[in-house]
Amino acid sequence: MAYKITIEKKALKFLSKLDFKPKKRISEVITSLAENPRPHGVKKLISRPGWRLRVSDYRLIYVIHDDILSVSVIDIDHRKNIYKR
């Protein structure tokens, strides 16, 4: 039972600016969320809705919709900037 992955516009914009290696790693992690939306190391956010996943120095913020089997990646950024919004 795979989840459908959607990526918000600002997350895609940030991803497009990255170098090849981090972009490839983040893309692999996003793809893996379809099979397991709550992998080891994921944390539920307190300050805003969603979940946080570490990928090297970057963070993915996403929302899981279990009722419709969907994962929405809402933000990707460097760890020093992601929580300032």
Side-chain angles (χ1 to χ4, degrees):
M1 186 165 42
Y3 283 67
K4 180 183 175 196
I5 305 290
T6 57
I7 304 174
E8 297 282 326
K9 192 174 183 177
K10 69 178 174 178
L12 278 174
K13 184 176 178 182
F14 182 81
L15 196 58
S16 70
K17 293 179 183 179
L18 287 177
D19 291 333
F20 178 74
K21 277 189 169 185
K23 183 188 298 187
K24 182 179 181 210
R25 177 72 178 120
I26 291 171
S27 297
E28 289 171 353
V29 169
I30 291 172
T31 303
S32 73
L33 291 175
E35 292 301 319
N36 183 8
R38 293 176 185 90
H40 179 72
V42 70
K43 288 197 175 188
K44 179 103 170 98
L45 294 175
I46 296 171
S47 62
R48 64 184 190 184
W51 298 78
R52 185 264 301 159
L53 185 60
R54 292 180 183 178
V55 181
S56 183
D57 286 340
Y58 301 96
R59 303 294 181 263
L60 276 74
I61 306 295
Y62 62 97
V63 178
I64 303 169
H65 306 283
D66 286 317
D67 53 336
I68 58 173
L69 297 178
S70 172
V71 174
S72 299
V73 178
I74 53 177
D75 206 0
I76 304 170
D77 208 338
H78 193 272
R79 64 187 176 105
K80 68 181 179 182
N81 300 325
I82 193 75
Y83 302 111
K84 294 181 182 178
R85 299 179 197 166

